[in-house]
Amino acid sequence: MRTISSKKITDVVADLAQEANIHLRKDVLLALRKACLLAGNARAKRILKAVIDNANYARQEKLAICQDTGMPVVFLELGQGVRIAGNLYKAVNRGIQNGYQKAFLRKSIVSGPLLRGAPKFTPGIIHTDIVGGDRLKITVLPKGFGCENKSRLKMFKPTDGIDQIKKFIIDCVSSAGPDACPPYVVGAGIGGTADYACILAKKALLRKISSDGTKLERDLLTEINKSGIGPMGLGGGATALAVNIETYPTHIAGLPVAVNISCHALRSASKIL
Amino acid sequence: MQKIETPLSEKLIKSLKAGDEVLLSGVVYTARDQAHKRLTGALAKGKRAPFNFKDAVVYYCAPAGTPEGRIIGACGPTTSGRMDAFSPFLIKSGLKIMIGKGSRGEEVSRAVKKHRGVYFVTYAGCGALLSKYVKKAKVAAYGDLGPEAILKLEVKDFPLIVAIDASGRSIYG
């Protein structure tokens, strides 16, 4: 057994929360630069340039990339050989609190979803996977709600075809339109159960943006970028930077598909302990 | 690029066309979901608004915290569509100028046209960059709402795009 202290976890979560909110992911920045270079119309190019300038300015001035510093979603991959000294989830939330406070991030969390009330920094959402080994991987994904509000789940029939699934994913992006800060990164989860498909869709956003996705991912990206929504919804070919899909076995009676869209400020940071 | 200053005259508002890009200087008030709900409730009961929004520019924004030595933290626009339920009433009550991001419903476009207002959008997801154009910031009302309080901002050359003009024409088609 390897022991990791809750103090260590708090400190690492605090650092990751700040890093994610202030330093735009390298793969996202690269994808934005590429989109800016390829942009056909002058306005789209200007908007993408502002988005890139914003990321650079945030890094340089240690400012939040976006005022919506999100609902912090924390993914834990906890090795079976790790013993946590102290309370793991309390340690994570304390880390969020410390990191958000230190970097002057936004209090966006209301304790009562119906009663609302004064916003706070916490709690975050914590997803834990128990894995082999004796390490703990922590990932912090601050998820803005302009794009989270555009999430969708549909329970397809097992006999439905791939074209219907594609149409559903493309429709999600079309209905988000200009509202959720395009160019988007589209996360999709296919399979599992209703709840699990949603988690897969969110996890898909953690995957690095790369050009060697599956044929389905590449086809969807091409289709979505034909929609003409473009940066800020003001036209152009850069509606999405990537489509990332995660899959899981499912039941003979069903085919759940969830979509979780990210704005261009797709922020996450990880560390292995 | 055209520079405009608050208060915006009726003549100036009418001259702006969907798609025009301008730089705004002057006073802007932030207000979003909870402030809209509270403001609408107050006005519906015949109470006075906590600021004179008739000539005001309202910006859908709740900034991040203000780091030491800065005027304001990241302060980009939030999704305007969530304010659609309140905007027609507020526009009827005198609000003419709004800043946010994204599209608006039919009713908002109609109200903007009828009352000769204007809806602007600004660089979405660029809150850090936009903080450069804010020269002063203080709480004007509803301080208990935290980041959603109404702030009085003084801005200089704040970049805007006309999204719905006074004739009701929208940049989103």
Side-chain angles (χ1 to χ4, degrees):
Chain A
M1 276 303 214
R2 190 171 150 250
T3 301
I4 299 176
S5 72
S6 55
K7 167 84 171 57
K8 177 81 190 162
I9 291 163
T10 294
D11 291 347
V12 168
V13 170
D15 286 349
L16 292 175
Q18 294 176 73
E19 187 189 328
N21 272 295
I22 292 168
H23 296 232
L24 188 64
R25 265 167 48 173
K26 274 196 191 121
D27 60 316
V28 177
L29 196 53
L30 268 173
L32 284 166
R33 284 204 190 111
K34 192 174 148 197
C36 187
L37 210 65
L38 295 175
N41 79 63
R43 174 171 277 153
K45 215 183 221 352
R46 204 152 61 240
I47 295 167
L48 288 166
K49 196 177 167 298
V51 169
I52 295 162
D53 287 349
N54 181 67
N56 293 334
Y57 186 67
R59 173 180 288 111
Q60 177 197 317
E61 298 290 321
K62 297 190 172 60
L63 279 174
I65 295 160
C66 176
Q67 73 289 339
D68 184 356
T69 53
M71 182 143 199
V73 184
V74 179
F75 295 90
L76 301 173
E77 286 174 42
L78 178 63
Q80 291 185 91
V82 176
R83 190 184 76 86
I84 306 291
N87 186 312
L88 175 59
Y89 285 8
K90 270 190 189 161
V92 169
N93 279 314
R94 204 172 290 138
I96 293 169
Q97 167 78 31
N98 293 354
Y100 270 61
Q101 196 163 325
K102 195 171 171 200
F104 301 92
L105 305 179
R106 196 176 74 183
K107 290 177 179 168
S108 307
I109 312 302
V110 286
S111 42
L114 298 175
L115 294 174
R116 316 302 292 184
K120 297 175 183 161
F121 290 125
T122 59
I125 302 291
I126 306 173
H127 296 297
T128 310
D129 287 326
I130 307 292
V131 299
D134 61 356
R135 314 295 292 261
L136 169 64
K137 182 177 179 186
I138 305 176
T139 301
V140 178
L141 170 86
K143 188 61 165 48
F145 253 60
C147 53
E148 187 69 5
N149 280 337
K150 305 298 179 186
S151 308
R152 280 206 198 165
L153 168 73
K154 185 166 177 178
M155 305 302 281
F156 282 88
K157 290 196 287 284
T159 49
D160 283 339
I162 190 73
D163 287 342
Q164 284 157 286
I165 293 171
K166 279 165 119 173
K167 185 177 178 302
F168 171 67
I169 296 171
I170 293 164
D171 284 352
C172 285
V173 176
S174 304
S175 75
D179 293 354
C181 296
Y184 301 127
V185 176
V186 182
I190 302 180
T193 48
D195 53 328
Y196 201 68
C198 291
I199 293 178
L200 288 177
K202 177 119 325 98
K203 276 188 179 173
L205 297 177
L206 299 177
R207 230 176 62 210
K208 217 171 154 182
I209 295 175
S210 77
S211 49
D212 43 76
T214 63
K215 184 173 182 303
L216 177 61
E217 290 170 335
R218 279 177 299 169
D219 287 354
L220 275 167
L221 182 62
T222 305
E223 280 299 311
I224 287 166
N225 283 337
K226 278 186 201 159
S227 69
I229 295 170
M232 265 177 85
L234 298 180
T239 299
L241 302 172
V243 176
N244 287 354
I245 300 176
E246 295 291 320
T247 63
Y248 193 78
T250 192
H251 191 276
I252 50 170
L255 177 43
V257 179
V259 178
N260 198 271
I261 290 176
S262 173
C263 56
H264 57 70
L266 171 52
R267 292 152 285 174
S268 69
S270 299
K271 187 165 184 175
I272 297 171
L273 295 180
Chain B
M1 205 176 295
Q2 191 186 353
K3 293 193 178 202
I4 61 175
E5 257 179 62
T6 66
L8 306 185
S9 69
E10 274 181 42
K11 194 179 159 206
L12 176 76
I13 293 174
K14 272 191 207 168
S15 74
L16 298 170
K17 300 290 167 225
D20 285 355
E21 299 193 16
V22 297
L23 300 173
L24 175 77
S25 296
V27 174
V28 168
Y29 290 90
T30 65
R32 56 176 278 170
D33 306 67
Q34 298 302 334
H36 271 69
K37 195 175 174 180
R38 205 180 274 188
L39 196 55
T40 300
L43 294 172
K45 281 186 199 148
K47 289 183 186 161
R48 280 181 52 178
F51 66 103
N52 182 15
F53 69 87
K54 286 196 178 179
D55 293 312
V57 180
V58 164
Y59 179 28
Y60 305 145
C61 170
T66 307
E68 277 157 43
R70 295 197 71 90
I71 294 160
I72 198 166
C75 57
T78 196
T79 311
S80 305
R82 291 198 317 276
M83 266 45 81
D84 281 7
F86 305 103
S87 296
F89 173 77
L90 293 179
I91 293 169
K92 205 177 128 198
S93 309
L95 171 67
K96 276 190 168 174
I97 308 150
M98 296 151 284
I99 305 171
K101 72 167 160 108
S103 56
R104 310 302 304 261
E106 270 296 304
E107 253 193 277
V108 176
S109 294
R110 270 204 301 273
V112 167
K113 183 180 176 182
K114 189 173 171 194
H115 298 278
R116 298 281 170 178
V118 58
Y119 165 58
F120 294 105
V121 291
T122 186
Y123 291 117
C126 297
L129 199 63
L130 290 173
S131 74
K132 289 207 289 198
Y133 306 104
V134 177
K135 302 303 170 194
K136 276 187 190 167
K138 66 170 187 180
V139 176
Y142 304 160
D144 60 300
L145 292 177
E148 287 194 85
I150 294 180
L151 305 179
K152 183 183 181 182
L153 308 181
E154 286 186 38
V155 301
K156 174 88 178 140
D157 294 336
F158 197 90
L160 302 174
I161 302 170
V162 178
I164 301 174
D165 63 27
S167 65
R169 228 170 56 87
S170 168
I171 196 172
Y172 298 113

